[in-house]
Amino acid sequence: QDEQLLQSENKYRIIFDNLLASELQYRRLFESAKDGILILDAETGMIKDVNPFLINLLDYTKEQFIEKTIWDIGFFKDIVANYDKFKELQKKDYVRYENLSLETAKGRKINVEFVSNVYIVNGKRIIQCNIRDITGSKRAEKDLLESEEKFRMITENSADAIFITDAKGRYVYVNAKSVDLLGY
């Protein structure tokens, strides 16, 4: 009987150690993620946890997030503007918003992608919101469009004939001067 008790204790210790290791691994992932993460109660919209990345990104303290509903937090009002949108998220279990603008506590505007998923933890519905800062990629996209526009203006207004061919020698671009010179 002592042997059985010892085996049971060892079995439960292994289970406990594995659970502890799993929680530590989750916590490390949550704390070191390079996306903002919010954990919400799916029934009430109450924020249960926020990771350091989002705290630093938006310049707010953890206390300014925890135990508040997502629609009560100023910078999320456009994302989850009211209880009806929250109900839609609850019903669909997934919502994705692209290119949303948020304002940090210091007034800096950032563009984000906002993805929310509903899942079950210990029999309770939880919402995980992942918030990715896309400000840099939006800036690069804008710069690329401006560069393309400059290239187009230069080539279209050039006094020289400019044309581009593909690998098979087919014309893929000709400017106005090329058309004038070649008569096509």
Side-chain angles (χ1 to χ4, degrees), residues 50-102:
V50 58
N51 75 336
F53 186 87
L54 189 60
I55 290 168
N56 292 331
L57 179 67
L58 297 174
D59 301 316
Y60 284 85
T61 65
K62 187 170 187 168
E63 292 73 29
Q64 289 173 298
F65 285 97
I66 301 300
E67 297 303 320
K68 294 187 176 67
T69 59
I70 192 164
W71 51 84
D72 288 335
I73 296 185
F75 44 82
F76 288 121
K77 285 188 179 177
D78 291 338
I79 298 171
V80 183
N82 55 44
Y83 193 71
D84 292 335
K85 281 192 176 184
F86 182 69
K87 283 297 202 185
E88 181 183 335
L89 170 60
Q90 288 175 314
K91 184 178 177 181
K92 291 182 178 180
D93 289 345
Y94 174 83
V95 173
R96 179 185 181 127
Y97 301 95
E98 294 184 27
N99 197 26
L100 292 171
S101 182
L102 295 181

Side-chain angles (χ1 to χ4, degrees), residues 2-178:
D2 287 343
E3 183 67 29
Q4 282 181 323
L5 184 58
L6 186 58
Q7 286 178 349
S8 284
E9 284 180 15
N10 285 339
K11 179 179 168 185
Y12 286 116
R13 183 176 311 277
I14 290 169
I15 291 170
F16 179 78
D17 288 347
N18 287 340
L19 184 60
L20 199 57
S22 177
E23 171 60 22
L24 182 60
Q25 183 179 19
Y26 161 79
R27 185 53 51 188
R28 284 183 181 153
L29 289 170
F30 182 78
E31 300 287 331
S32 66
K34 297 304 176 198
D35 285 342
I37 303 172
L38 281 176
I39 305 296
L40 312 174
D41 180 305
E43 303 308 318
T44 65
M46 193 76 61
I47 298 170
K48 295 298 179 184
D49 208 353
V50 58
N51 75 336
F53 186 87
L54 189 60
I55 290 168
N56 292 331
L57 179 67
L58 297 174
D59 301 316
Y60 284 85
T61 65
K62 187 170 187 168
E63 292 73 29
Q64 289 173 298
F65 285 97
I66 301 300
E67 297 303 320
K68 294 187 176 67
T69 59
I70 192 164
W71 51 84
D72 288 335
I73 296 185
F75 44 82
F76 288 121
K77 285 188 179 177
D78 291 338
I79 298 171
V80 183
N82 55 44
Y83 193 71
D84 292 335
K85 281 192 176 184
F86 182 69
K87 283 297 202 185
E88 181 183 335
L89 170 60
Q90 288 175 314
K91 184 178 177 181
K92 291 182 178 180
D93 289 345
Y94 174 83
V95 173
R96 179 185 181 127
Y97 301 95
E98 294 184 27
N99 197 26
L100 292 171
S101 182
L102 295 181
E103 187 172 324
T104 69
K106 295 178 181 173
R108 184 173 51 93
K109 297 275 189 193
I110 58 172
N111 295 333
V112 299
E113 174 185 73
F114 190 96
V115 179
S116 296
N117 293 286
V118 178
Y119 57 95
I120 307 294
V121 174
N122 295 330
K124 289 190 73 175
R125 290 170 49 86
I126 300 295
I127 298 171
Q128 178 176 321
C129 303
N130 291 61
I131 299 116
R132 176 168 290 155
D133 183 359
I134 59 170
T135 305
S137 61
K138 285 296 173 186
R139 188 175 309 117
E141 183 180 310
K142 181 180 174 249
D143 291 348
L144 178 60
L145 289 173
E146 288 174 1
S147 177
E148 288 173 347
E149 178 63 19
K150 286 177 189 173
F151 172 78
R152 189 186 68 71
M153 293 297 292
I154 291 168
T155 58
E156 285 300 315
N157 296 308
S158 176
D160 297 322
I162 300 173
F163 54 90
I164 300 172
T165 61
D166 65 14
K168 294 183 179 181
R170 294 178 294 212
Y171 292 102
V172 294
Y173 173 82
V174 294
N175 70 346
K177 187 63 174 181
S178 297

